[in-house]
Amino acid sequence: MKAVGMGVRKKDAMALTTGKPVYVADIAPEDCLVVKLLRSPHANAMIEEIDVSRAQRVPGVACVLTYRDVPKTRFTLAGQTYPEFSPYDRLILDRHLRCVGDPVAIVAAETEKQALAAMRLIRVRYQVLPAVLDAQEALDNPVLVHPEEDWHALVPDCGADNRRNLCATGEDADGDVEAELAACDVVIDQIYETKANQQCMMETFRAFTRCDAYGRLEVVSSTQIPFHVRRILATALELKKSDVRVVKPRIGGGFGAKQTAICEVYPAIVTVKTGRPAMIIFTREESMTVSSPRHAMRMHVRVGAMRDGSIRAIDLHTLSNTGAYGEHGPTTVGLSGHKSIPLYTHGLKAFRFHWDVVYTNTMSAGAYRGYGATQGLFALESAINELAHALHMDPAALREANMVREGERMPAYYGETAGSCAIDRCLARAKDMIGWDEKYPARTMPNGHVRAVGMALAMQGSGISNVDTGAVSIRLGDDGIYNMSIGATDMGTGCDTILAQIAAQSLDCDVDNVTVHGVDTDTSPYDCGSYASSTTYVTGMAVVRTCEVLRGKITRVGAQLLGAAPEDVCFDGDCVRRMDSEESVPLREIAQAHMTAGVEDLSACESNGSPISPPPFMAGCAEIDLDPLTGQVEVVDYVGVVDCGTVVNPNLARVQTEGGIMQGIGMALTENPEMNGRGRTVSNSFLQYKVPSRVDARSVRVAFESSYEQTGPFGAKSIGECVINTPAPAIADAVYNASGVRVRSLPITAEKILLGERE
Amino acid sequence: MTIEFTLNGRRVTAQADADASLYQVLRALHIASVKCGCETANCGLCTVHMDGRAVLSCSVPAARVQEHDIVTLEGLQEEAKALGGCLADEGAEQCGFCVPGLMMNVLALARENPDATDAEIDAYLAGNLCRCSGYMGQRRGIRRYLDSLKGVRA
């Protein structure tokens, strides 16, 4: 029976495609209170006076809550394993408002109209304070985003200091980078900038809460992190964790946005205060303006090489803007160096990676697919392309000479070794698919447009080493069907199905013989959640382990029924057979038997964590069409070749890659988060924030060049995040090849190309 | 106000505020396939058929559907299974949140231009945003669905 490597349909595919009621808002109780938030119009202000008396008198209003009504324990909304790196810098409602959109009051009413009417009747007098909006001016600015005494960091090692607007600072280095750079023939020394891109999952943030029959708080949320949400709510509401239950139904996309508990605290406190079910659904505007976008980063890169193209030293300083709160601030920044520099480990003599993460009075940043690696790879891969031009080398040849190879230790990747790495094959195949040697660098078309190509490499991780953990439980049910319960959160990516494929392969059965039960923190085994590209690799290996234990139990019970010793029988997926005769007992009889007294329980639950995080690798090549009169860029072809180890489901891996590339193309060209001079995000709808539509890329082509990861399930690594990382640097170099203009700050707009200086 | 219209072949009577949209009325009637993704009429998630034509239900005032014929994916389950199967065979439904709206527009396309080229498919469906799939898998699935209809016609 072969299940791994098959492009089977997602287990929920037909429910989703026939429009069944499976998402949060579809299954909410009829009598849910509607929860709305009054939000701050100011980037930095204190509430001097707030009067909710008129709002409370609006018919249908169940409660209006202000900072006076909430617990005073600070917490973070970041979905991370405890103790979180993200500082405890939030209250549910605070007198101090630190960004435009910070919640001022929570209103709950029978209908949305009533809630909105009540909201308009809340009278607030603000003491407006000067705000720090620019990350470059934040450090040691007299305006402090978090002057409060009870701000605290659980992990002081990350260098956080609220008296300096500092969320994290640090350095990692190997060798003498200054000496090596001084000895290099050529040094590229440039600054690159990325913006606070929005994930734009089609389902905005939402959750409903209610008291269950036992008086506990039940939370049904569109989240990637049910177990973290349980802990966060318990901390924020000063409840016992055992009094909170979190259930995840189908999710309309996440991309990291829902790795932060953006919305759950608001209905939760309404339910705690009123005893009533309550639901919040963020508007698209709220999802665009007070959510958890990518950390905007400013990266100073120095790359040194010899004339022959050997790269000797890389120095990277990253300034990251975490906004008003520190969610994922100390951790995202690390990936900007730790998941870019290791690509060029091959002959590297020295590196230095140092960083500062600062608070500003802007929307808090969070986790977005790529998690800092995307930003770092835009900077470093752009610098590598610039280096190739400075050396008059083909960027492919420069990479071939310097990129990491299988078996090499990567000092900049926590000292881990590239145990499985087919990046060389990825690059060769991508070059071949795009026709690199014929098309590089550019050619002018009969209509005057210029066609050009550009490339980039990428890597990511597979889970967080020694931190991420996932468990599954599998039990043998009636008819020999396996019921698998998981704590990992399928957010549309298909992990329910992927994990079922791994189980089916391990148990020698059909994928249809494995049912999957999604997350309910009361009944699912613990899983830290679906983020950091962890599910296939980390939880997938938990499935393998669980199946091994379960197979042993099935074999024992089969042997018992056959009157044989366990070592004299084998389990082939259908039957337990005696090896010395034709006698056998089918699985369905074994299943039936264990529902009888005196037979051991046929279930198993194992967890897995990994001491390493094997990187997936990727090569991406863009072919663009540039209109020199308008600066308009069209991506006419994009090729991505991925090494994610063994491909568990080729269809899902392919669509993940195509989708990641398209998000990367949006980040490169059209997605432009913009703020006005007073800190208000003005790109607050799909009219201003332009995600790619289906006419924006004519062709995205994907292939796989697999290595075999010994520590992963059937050789698999991760795929979800790596695939967003190549478009921005590849397209930036294609634009340079077409126009001579080097754009170092995203997005690469027609204006920047037309007004840019040719180099 | 009270409005009466045909929903998926059945006569319905609904109470709605004067400023309600068709989308709000449909959700209140437990039509779960209809989603809201943007509030600015450019994501396509709330697409339904009104008198056989694809419309954005967020942009149709409820009062306008009085005595009109509304069809949602709930009323086209056979077609949904066939087209959904084509998308599922590509893994292109992903999170699925945009899929019902997309399918309503594909079914309208299948009626209006059954011989659509890939470029025509993309242009017709440009108003249906998807953040997961990158569109290529959806294009492959839709292509397969349209081709399967040709097989039936031939």
Side-chain angles (χ1 to χ4, degrees), chain A residues 9-10 17-18 20 23 26 30 113 198-199 284 368 492 651 654-656 658-659 662-663 671 692 694 698, chain B residues 17 19 27 30 35 37 39 42 77 89-90 93-97 103 125 128 131-132 134-135 138-140:
Chain A
R9 283 184 187 179
K10 253 154 44 85
T17 57
T18 54
K20 295 292 183 285
Y23 302 93
D26 303 338
E30 287 269 334
K113 274 201 167 164
Q198 284 288 346
Q199 297 87 348
R284 179 57 63 184
Y368 181 2
N651 286 356
R654 181 184 186 186
V655 171
Q656 279 286 300
E658 292 167 345
M662 195 63 80
Q663 282 185 9
E671 294 177 30
R694 65 190 77 223
R698 289 191 209 165
Chain B
D17 291 339
D19 59 352
R27 287 294 305 190
H30 304 290
K35 310 292 188 200
E39 299 125 23
N42 50 346
Q77 286 291 292
D89 284 338
E90 297 291 341
E93 78 284 6
Q94 287 283 295
C95 84
F97 206 71
M103 288 168 82
L125 303 172
N128 291 93
R131 192 60 161 168
C132 296
Y135 303 115
Q138 291 187 347
R139 185 199 284 161
R140 291 190 294 272

Short mmCIF file of all heavy atoms in Angstrom, two decimals, chain A residues 9-10 17-18 20 23 26 30 113 198-199 284 368 492 651 654-656 658-659 662-663 671 692 694 698, chain B residues 17 19 27 30 35 37 39 42 77 89-90 93-97 103 125 128 131-132 134-135 138-140:
data_model
loop_
_atom_site.label_atom_id
_atom_site.label_comp_id
_atom_site.label_asym_id
_atom_site.label_seq_id
_atom_site.Cartn_x
_atom_site.Cartn_y
_atom_site.Cartn_z
N ARG A 9 -6.83 13.57 -2.79
CA ARG A 9 -7.65 14.74 -2.44
C ARG A 9 -7.56 15.02 -0.95
O ARG A 9 -7.44 14.10 -0.15
CB ARG A 9 -9.12 14.48 -2.76
CG ARG A 9 -9.47 14.59 -4.21
CD ARG A 9 -10.98 14.41 -4.37
NE ARG A 9 -11.35 14.35 -5.78
CZ ARG A 9 -12.59 14.17 -6.21
NH1 ARG A 9 -13.58 14.02 -5.34
NH2 ARG A 9 -12.86 14.14 -7.50
N LYS A 10 -7.69 16.30 -0.61
CA LYS A 10 -7.79 16.66 0.79
C LYS A 10 -9.05 16.04 1.40
O LYS A 10 -10.08 15.96 0.73
CB LYS A 10 -7.87 18.18 0.92
CG LYS A 10 -6.59 18.80 1.47
CD LYS A 10 -6.37 20.24 1.05
CE LYS A 10 -7.57 21.16 1.13
NZ LYS A 10 -7.79 21.75 2.46
N THR A 17 -15.72 22.44 -1.11
CA THR A 17 -16.09 22.87 -2.46
C THR A 17 -17.59 22.83 -2.69
O THR A 17 -18.07 23.37 -3.69
CB THR A 17 -15.39 22.02 -3.53
OG1 THR A 17 -15.70 20.65 -3.31
CG2 THR A 17 -13.89 22.21 -3.49
N THR A 18 -18.34 22.20 -1.81
CA THR A 18 -19.79 22.27 -1.98
C THR A 18 -20.43 23.27 -1.02
O THR A 18 -21.65 23.35 -0.91
CB THR A 18 -20.44 20.87 -1.79
OG1 THR A 18 -20.03 20.34 -0.53
CG2 THR A 18 -20.01 19.93 -2.90
N LYS A 20 -20.29 23.73 2.38
CA LYS A 20 -20.90 23.30 3.63
C LYS A 20 -20.54 24.24 4.80
O LYS A 20 -19.51 24.92 4.76
CB LYS A 20 -20.43 21.88 3.96
CG LYS A 20 -20.91 20.84 2.95
CD LYS A 20 -22.43 20.66 3.02
CE LYS A 20 -22.93 19.58 2.07
NZ LYS A 20 -22.95 20.01 0.66
N TYR A 23 -17.01 26.70 8.77
CA TYR A 23 -16.14 27.74 9.32
C TYR A 23 -16.77 28.35 10.58
O TYR A 23 -17.96 28.13 10.86
CB TYR A 23 -15.88 28.83 8.28
CG TYR A 23 -15.27 28.32 7.00
CD1 TYR A 23 -16.07 27.96 5.92
CD2 TYR A 23 -13.89 28.19 6.88
CE1 TYR A 23 -15.50 27.49 4.74
CE2 TYR A 23 -13.32 27.72 5.71
CZ TYR A 23 -14.13 27.37 4.64
OH TYR A 23 -13.58 26.89 3.48
N ASP A 26 -20.12 30.03 10.41
CA ASP A 26 -21.20 29.14 9.95
C ASP A 26 -21.79 28.31 11.09
O ASP A 26 -22.91 27.84 10.99
CB ASP A 26 -20.68 28.16 8.89
CG ASP A 26 -20.06 28.87 7.69
OD1 ASP A 26 -20.38 30.05 7.47
OD2 ASP A 26 -19.25 28.23 6.99
N GLU A 30 -26.95 30.86 17.39
CA GLU A 30 -27.84 31.92 16.89
C GLU A 30 -27.84 33.15 17.80
O GLU A 30 -27.97 34.28 17.33
CB GLU A 30 -29.28 31.40 16.83
CG GLU A 30 -29.54 30.42 15.71
CD GLU A 30 -30.02 31.13 14.47
OE1 GLU A 30 -30.60 32.21 14.59
OE2 GLU A 30 -29.80 30.58 13.38
N LYS A 113 -25.99 46.37 14.44
CA LYS A 113 -26.45 47.76 14.39
C LYS A 113 -26.47 48.39 15.78
O LYS A 113 -26.06 49.54 15.97
CB LYS A 113 -27.86 47.82 13.79
CG LYS A 113 -27.83 47.89 12.28
CD LYS A 113 -29.11 48.45 11.73
CE LYS A 113 -28.88 48.78 10.26
NZ LYS A 113 -30.09 48.98 9.53
N GLN A 198 0.65 42.48 4.46
CA GLN A 198 -0.50 41.82 5.07
C GLN A 198 -0.68 40.42 4.49
O GLN A 198 -0.56 40.22 3.28
CB GLN A 198 -1.77 42.64 4.81
CG GLN A 198 -1.90 43.88 5.67
CD GLN A 198 -2.22 43.55 7.11
OE1 GLN A 198 -2.61 42.44 7.45
NE2 GLN A 198 -2.07 44.54 7.98
N GLN A 199 -1.03 39.47 5.36
CA GLN A 199 -1.25 38.10 4.90
C GLN A 199 -2.47 38.00 3.99
O GLN A 199 -2.48 37.20 3.05
CB GLN A 199 -1.45 37.17 6.10
CG GLN A 199 -0.24 37.06 7.03
CD GLN A 199 -0.23 38.14 8.10
OE1 GLN A 199 -0.99 39.12 8.06
NE2 GLN A 199 0.62 37.96 9.08
N ARG A 284 -12.64 43.63 7.08
CA ARG A 284 -11.39 43.61 6.30
C ARG A 284 -10.53 44.81 6.68
O ARG A 284 -9.31 44.70 6.77
CB ARG A 284 -11.71 43.61 4.79
CG ARG A 284 -10.48 43.61 3.88
CD ARG A 284 -9.54 42.44 4.12
NE ARG A 284 -10.15 41.16 3.84
CZ ARG A 284 -9.54 39.99 4.05
NH1 ARG A 284 -8.30 39.96 4.53
NH2 ARG A 284 -10.17 38.86 3.80
N TYR A 368 4.31 36.20 9.55
CA TYR A 368 3.80 36.04 8.18
C TYR A 368 4.75 35.08 7.48
O TYR A 368 5.96 35.33 7.43
CB TYR A 368 3.72 37.39 7.47
CG TYR A 368 3.19 37.36 6.04
CD1 TYR A 368 2.75 36.18 5.43
CD2 TYR A 368 3.10 38.52 5.30
CE1 TYR A 368 2.26 36.17 4.15
CE2 TYR A 368 2.61 38.53 4.00
CZ TYR A 368 2.19 37.34 3.42
OH TYR A 368 1.72 37.33 2.14
N GLY A 492 -6.02 24.94 5.77
CA GLY A 492 -6.27 24.92 4.34
C GLY A 492 -5.14 24.27 3.59
O GLY A 492 -5.29 23.86 2.43
N ASN A 651 0.32 17.04 -5.28
CA ASN A 651 -0.65 18.08 -5.61
C ASN A 651 -0.61 19.22 -4.61
O ASN A 651 -0.57 20.40 -4.97
CB ASN A 651 -2.08 17.52 -5.64
CG ASN A 651 -2.34 16.67 -6.86
OD1 ASN A 651 -1.49 16.56 -7.73
ND2 ASN A 651 -3.51 16.07 -6.91
N ARG A 654 2.65 21.16 -4.73
CA ARG A 654 2.69 22.03 -5.90
C ARG A 654 1.86 23.28 -5.68
O ARG A 654 2.31 24.40 -5.97
CB ARG A 654 2.16 21.24 -7.11
CG ARG A 654 2.17 22.00 -8.40
CD ARG A 654 1.52 21.15 -9.49
NE ARG A 654 1.63 21.77 -10.80
CZ ARG A 654 1.04 21.29 -11.89
NH1 ARG A 654 0.34 20.17 -11.83
NH2 ARG A 654 1.16 21.90 -13.05
N VAL A 655 0.64 23.10 -5.16
CA VAL A 655 -0.22 24.27 -4.96
C VAL A 655 0.34 25.18 -3.86
O VAL A 655 0.27 26.41 -3.97
CB VAL A 655 -1.67 23.84 -4.66
CG1 VAL A 655 -2.52 25.03 -4.24
CG2 VAL A 655 -2.29 23.19 -5.90
N GLN A 656 0.92 24.58 -2.82
CA GLN A 656 1.61 25.40 -1.81
C GLN A 656 2.67 26.27 -2.48
O GLN A 656 2.80 27.46 -2.18
CB GLN A 656 2.31 24.51 -0.78
CG GLN A 656 1.40 23.98 0.30
CD GLN A 656 1.04 25.06 1.29
OE1 GLN A 656 1.90 25.65 1.93
NE2 GLN A 656 -0.23 25.35 1.39
N GLU A 658 2.99 27.13 -5.74
CA GLU A 658 2.40 28.14 -6.63
C GLU A 658 1.81 29.30 -5.83
O GLU A 658 1.98 30.47 -6.19
CB GLU A 658 1.30 27.48 -7.49
CG GLU A 658 1.85 26.49 -8.51
CD GLU A 658 0.78 25.60 -9.14
OE1 GLU A 658 -0.36 25.54 -8.61
OE2 GLU A 658 1.08 24.95 -10.16
N GLY A 659 1.13 28.97 -4.73
CA GLY A 659 0.52 30.01 -3.91
C GLY A 659 1.55 30.88 -3.22
O GLY A 659 1.40 32.10 -3.12
N MET A 662 3.06 33.21 -5.72
CA MET A 662 2.16 34.32 -6.08
C MET A 662 2.14 35.37 -4.97
O MET A 662 2.13 36.57 -5.25
CB MET A 662 0.75 33.79 -6.35
CG MET A 662 -0.13 34.77 -7.05
SD MET A 662 0.47 35.21 -8.71
CE MET A 662 -0.08 33.81 -9.65
N GLN A 663 2.15 34.94 -3.70
CA GLN A 663 2.24 35.93 -2.61
C GLN A 663 3.56 36.69 -2.69
O GLN A 663 3.61 37.90 -2.43
CB GLN A 663 2.13 35.23 -1.25
CG GLN A 663 0.71 34.86 -0.89
CD GLN A 663 0.59 34.27 0.51
OE1 GLN A 663 1.54 34.28 1.29
NE2 GLN A 663 -0.58 33.75 0.83
N GLU A 671 1.98 44.92 -3.55
CA GLU A 671 1.44 45.06 -2.20
C GLU A 671 2.22 46.13 -1.45
O GLU A 671 3.40 45.97 -1.15
CB GLU A 671 1.50 43.72 -1.47
CG GLU A 671 0.59 42.70 -2.12
CD GLU A 671 0.67 41.33 -1.49
OE1 GLU A 671 0.95 41.25 -0.28
OE2 GLU A 671 0.46 40.34 -2.21
N PRO A 692 -2.25 39.99 -5.71
CA PRO A 692 -2.35 39.58 -7.12
C PRO A 692 -3.70 38.94 -7.43
O PRO A 692 -4.24 38.18 -6.62
CB PRO A 692 -1.23 38.54 -7.26
CG PRO A 692 -0.27 38.84 -6.16
CD PRO A 692 -1.12 39.36 -5.03
N ARG A 694 -5.87 36.84 -10.70
CA ARG A 694 -5.39 35.76 -11.58
C ARG A 694 -4.91 36.26 -12.94
O ARG A 694 -4.38 35.48 -13.71
CB ARG A 694 -6.42 34.64 -11.71
CG ARG A 694 -7.70 34.96 -12.37
CD ARG A 694 -8.69 33.82 -12.18
NE ARG A 694 -9.25 33.84 -10.83
CZ ARG A 694 -9.41 32.76 -10.08
NH1 ARG A 694 -9.10 31.58 -10.51
NH2 ARG A 694 -9.91 32.88 -8.86
N ARG A 698 1.08 35.20 -15.60
CA ARG A 698 0.59 34.33 -16.66
C ARG A 698 0.95 32.88 -16.40
O ARG A 698 0.21 31.97 -16.77
CB ARG A 698 1.24 34.75 -17.98
CG ARG A 698 0.73 36.08 -18.50
CD ARG A 698 1.22 36.26 -19.91
NE ARG A 698 1.37 37.66 -20.22
CZ ARG A 698 2.03 38.10 -21.27
NH1 ARG A 698 2.64 37.24 -22.08
NH2 ARG A 698 2.12 39.37 -21.51
N ASP B 17 -33.75 44.81 7.06
CA ASP B 17 -33.69 46.26 7.19
C ASP B 17 -33.66 46.88 5.80
O ASP B 17 -33.22 46.24 4.84
CB ASP B 17 -32.43 46.68 7.95
CG ASP B 17 -32.49 46.28 9.42
OD1 ASP B 17 -33.62 46.06 9.91
OD2 ASP B 17 -31.43 46.16 10.05
N ASP B 19 -31.75 48.98 4.61
CA ASP B 19 -30.42 49.16 4.03
C ASP B 19 -29.65 47.83 3.95
O ASP B 19 -28.45 47.82 3.72
CB ASP B 19 -29.62 50.18 4.86
CG ASP B 19 -29.46 49.75 6.31
OD1 ASP B 19 -30.09 48.74 6.69
OD2 ASP B 19 -28.72 50.43 7.05
N ARG B 27 -27.20 35.26 4.46
CA ARG B 27 -26.57 34.69 5.67
C ARG B 27 -27.61 34.47 6.76
O ARG B 27 -27.58 33.46 7.47
CB ARG B 27 -25.46 35.61 6.19
CG ARG B 27 -24.18 35.65 5.38
CD ARG B 27 -23.38 34.37 5.33
NE ARG B 27 -23.01 33.79 6.59
CZ ARG B 27 -22.13 32.78 6.72
NH1 ARG B 27 -21.54 32.27 5.64
NH2 ARG B 27 -21.86 32.26 7.88
N HIS B 30 -29.31 31.35 6.62
CA HIS B 30 -28.41 30.20 6.81
C HIS B 30 -27.84 29.66 5.50
O HIS B 30 -27.60 28.47 5.38
CB HIS B 30 -29.12 29.08 7.59
CG HIS B 30 -29.65 29.54 8.90
ND1 HIS B 30 -28.83 29.86 9.96
CD2 HIS B 30 -30.92 29.79 9.32
CE1 HIS B 30 -29.58 30.26 10.98
NE2 HIS B 30 -30.84 30.24 10.61
N LYS B 35 -19.90 33.94 1.37
CA LYS B 35 -18.93 34.50 2.32
C LYS B 35 -18.69 35.98 2.03
O LYS B 35 -18.92 36.43 0.90
CB LYS B 35 -17.58 33.78 2.20
CG LYS B 35 -17.66 32.26 2.26
CD LYS B 35 -18.08 31.76 3.62
CE LYS B 35 -17.96 30.23 3.69
NZ LYS B 35 -18.79 29.68 4.77
N GLY B 37 -15.55 38.72 2.12
CA GLY B 37 -14.10 38.78 2.26
C GLY B 37 -13.53 40.18 2.22
O GLY B 37 -12.35 40.37 2.51
N GLU B 39 -15.79 43.74 1.89
CA GLU B 39 -16.64 44.92 2.12
C GLU B 39 -16.44 46.01 1.08
O GLU B 39 -16.98 47.11 1.21
CB GLU B 39 -16.42 45.52 3.52
CG GLU B 39 -16.75 44.58 4.65
CD GLU B 39 -15.59 44.41 5.61
OE1 GLU B 39 -14.73 45.29 5.66
OE2 GLU B 39 -15.54 43.37 6.29
N ASN B 42 -14.65 43.77 -4.10
CA ASN B 42 -13.64 43.31 -5.06
C ASN B 42 -12.98 41.99 -4.71
O ASN B 42 -11.89 41.71 -5.18
CB ASN B 42 -12.59 44.38 -5.36
CG ASN B 42 -11.99 44.99 -4.11
OD1 ASN B 42 -12.50 44.83 -3.02
ND2 ASN B 42 -10.89 45.68 -4.26
N GLN B 77 -25.87 21.80 -6.22
CA GLN B 77 -24.97 20.83 -5.59
C GLN B 77 -24.40 19.82 -6.58
O GLN B 77 -23.26 19.38 -6.42
CB GLN B 77 -25.71 20.12 -4.45
CG GLN B 77 -25.87 21.00 -3.22
CD GLN B 77 -24.54 21.29 -2.51
OE1 GLN B 77 -23.94 20.40 -1.94
NE2 GLN B 77 -24.09 22.53 -2.58
N ASP B 89 -9.02 17.56 -7.22
CA ASP B 89 -8.00 16.71 -7.82
C ASP B 89 -6.70 17.46 -8.08
O ASP B 89 -5.67 16.84 -8.35
CB ASP B 89 -8.52 16.09 -9.12
CG ASP B 89 -9.51 14.96 -8.85
OD1 ASP B 89 -9.46 14.40 -7.73
OD2 ASP B 89 -10.33 14.64 -9.73
N GLU B 90 -6.74 18.78 -8.02
CA GLU B 90 -5.53 19.59 -8.11
C GLU B 90 -5.05 20.05 -6.73
O GLU B 90 -4.01 20.67 -6.62
CB GLU B 90 -5.78 20.83 -8.98
CG GLU B 90 -6.12 20.54 -10.43
CD GLU B 90 -4.92 19.98 -11.20
OE1 GLU B 90 -3.77 20.16 -10.73
OE2 GLU B 90 -5.13 19.37 -12.25
N GLU B 93 -8.40 23.76 -3.95
CA GLU B 93 -9.39 24.43 -3.10
C GLU B 93 -8.71 24.99 -1.85
O GLU B 93 -9.19 25.94 -1.26
CB GLU B 93 -10.52 23.47 -2.73
CG GLU B 93 -10.20 22.46 -1.63
CD GLU B 93 -9.33 21.31 -2.10
OE1 GLU B 93 -8.88 21.34 -3.24
OE2 GLU B 93 -9.08 20.39 -1.30
N GLN B 94 -7.59 24.39 -1.40
CA GLN B 94 -6.86 24.85 -0.22
C GLN B 94 -7.81 25.20 0.93
O GLN B 94 -8.57 24.34 1.34
CB GLN B 94 -5.92 26.01 -0.59
CG GLN B 94 -4.72 25.51 -1.40
CD GLN B 94 -3.66 24.83 -0.55
OE1 GLN B 94 -3.04 25.42 0.30
NE2 GLN B 94 -3.48 23.53 -0.78
N CYS B 95 -7.82 26.45 1.41
CA CYS B 95 -8.65 26.73 2.59
C CYS B 95 -10.13 26.70 2.25
O CYS B 95 -10.96 26.52 3.13
CB CYS B 95 -8.27 28.06 3.24
SG CYS B 95 -9.03 29.53 2.53
N GLY B 96 -10.47 26.90 0.99
CA GLY B 96 -11.85 26.74 0.55
C GLY B 96 -12.74 27.94 0.73
O GLY B 96 -13.87 27.94 0.26
N PHE B 97 -12.24 28.97 1.39
CA PHE B 97 -13.13 30.09 1.75
C PHE B 97 -13.59 30.86 0.52
O PHE B 97 -14.69 31.37 0.48
CB PHE B 97 -12.41 31.01 2.73
CG PHE B 97 -13.32 31.79 3.63
CD1 PHE B 97 -14.03 31.16 4.64
CD2 PHE B 97 -13.48 33.16 3.48
CE1 PHE B 97 -14.88 31.87 5.48
CE2 PHE B 97 -14.32 33.89 4.31
CZ PHE B 97 -15.02 33.23 5.31
N MET B 103 -16.87 29.34 -7.69
CA MET B 103 -17.64 28.34 -8.45
C MET B 103 -18.89 28.95 -9.07
O MET B 103 -19.25 28.60 -10.19
CB MET B 103 -17.97 27.15 -7.55
CG MET B 103 -16.73 26.32 -7.27
SD MET B 103 -16.95 25.11 -5.97
CE MET B 103 -17.71 23.81 -6.81
N LEU B 125 -12.71 35.57 -14.46
CA LEU B 125 -12.68 35.30 -13.03
C LEU B 125 -11.75 36.24 -12.27
O LEU B 125 -11.44 36.01 -11.10
CB LEU B 125 -12.26 33.85 -12.78
CG LEU B 125 -13.11 32.77 -13.45
CD1 LEU B 125 -12.48 31.40 -13.28
CD2 LEU B 125 -14.53 32.78 -12.88
N ASN B 128 -12.42 37.25 -8.70
CA ASN B 128 -12.46 36.24 -7.62
C ASN B 128 -11.06 36.06 -7.06
O ASN B 128 -10.24 35.35 -7.63
CB ASN B 128 -12.99 34.91 -8.15
CG ASN B 128 -14.46 34.99 -8.52
OD1 ASN B 128 -14.81 35.26 -9.66
ND2 ASN B 128 -15.33 34.81 -7.53
N ARG B 131 -6.07 33.71 -2.01
CA ARG B 131 -4.73 34.00 -1.47
C ARG B 131 -3.91 32.73 -1.30
O ARG B 131 -2.72 32.80 -1.10
CB ARG B 131 -4.90 34.71 -0.13
CG ARG B 131 -3.64 35.34 0.44
CD ARG B 131 -3.03 36.40 -0.46
NE ARG B 131 -2.13 37.26 0.30
CZ ARG B 131 -1.28 38.12 -0.24
NH1 ARG B 131 -1.21 38.24 -1.56
NH2 ARG B 131 -0.52 38.89 0.51
N CYS B 132 -4.56 31.57 -1.34
CA CYS B 132 -3.83 30.32 -1.09
C CYS B 132 -3.19 29.74 -2.34
O CYS B 132 -2.04 29.32 -2.31
CB CYS B 132 -4.78 29.25 -0.55
SG CYS B 132 -5.52 29.58 1.05
N GLY B 134 -2.52 30.59 -5.60
CA GLY B 134 -1.72 31.15 -6.70
C GLY B 134 -2.39 30.97 -8.06
O GLY B 134 -1.76 31.22 -9.09
N TYR B 135 -3.63 30.54 -8.07
CA TYR B 135 -4.51 30.50 -9.24
C TYR B 135 -4.21 29.41 -10.26
O TYR B 135 -5.07 29.04 -11.06
CB TYR B 135 -4.54 31.86 -9.97
CG TYR B 135 -4.96 33.01 -9.10
CD1 TYR B 135 -4.08 34.05 -8.78
CD2 TYR B 135 -6.24 33.07 -8.56
CE1 TYR B 135 -4.47 35.11 -7.97
CE2 TYR B 135 -6.64 34.13 -7.75
CZ TYR B 135 -5.75 35.14 -7.46
OH TYR B 135 -6.13 36.19 -6.66
N GLN B 138 -6.25 26.29 -9.74
CA GLN B 138 -7.65 26.57 -10.04
C GLN B 138 -7.87 26.59 -11.54
O GLN B 138 -8.85 26.05 -12.06
CB GLN B 138 -8.07 27.91 -9.42
CG GLN B 138 -8.13 27.87 -7.89
CD GLN B 138 -8.71 29.13 -7.29
OE1 GLN B 138 -8.85 30.15 -7.97
NE2 GLN B 138 -9.04 29.08 -6.00
N ARG B 139 -6.92 27.19 -12.26
CA ARG B 139 -7.05 27.25 -13.72
C ARG B 139 -7.05 25.82 -14.30
O ARG B 139 -7.86 25.51 -15.18
CB ARG B 139 -5.89 28.06 -14.31
CG ARG B 139 -6.03 28.27 -15.81
CD ARG B 139 -4.69 28.66 -16.43
NE ARG B 139 -4.32 30.03 -16.16
CZ ARG B 139 -3.07 30.49 -16.28
NH1 ARG B 139 -2.09 29.67 -16.64
NH2 ARG B 139 -2.79 31.76 -16.03
N ARG B 140 -6.16 24.96 -13.78
CA ARG B 140 -6.12 23.58 -14.28
C ARG B 140 -7.43 22.85 -14.00
O ARG B 140 -7.97 22.14 -14.87
CB ARG B 140 -4.97 22.80 -13.61
CG ARG B 140 -3.57 23.25 -14.04
CD ARG B 140 -2.49 22.30 -13.53
NE ARG B 140 -2.34 22.27 -12.08
CZ ARG B 140 -1.55 23.09 -11.37
NH1 ARG B 140 -0.84 24.02 -11.99
NH2 ARG B 140 -1.47 22.98 -10.06
#
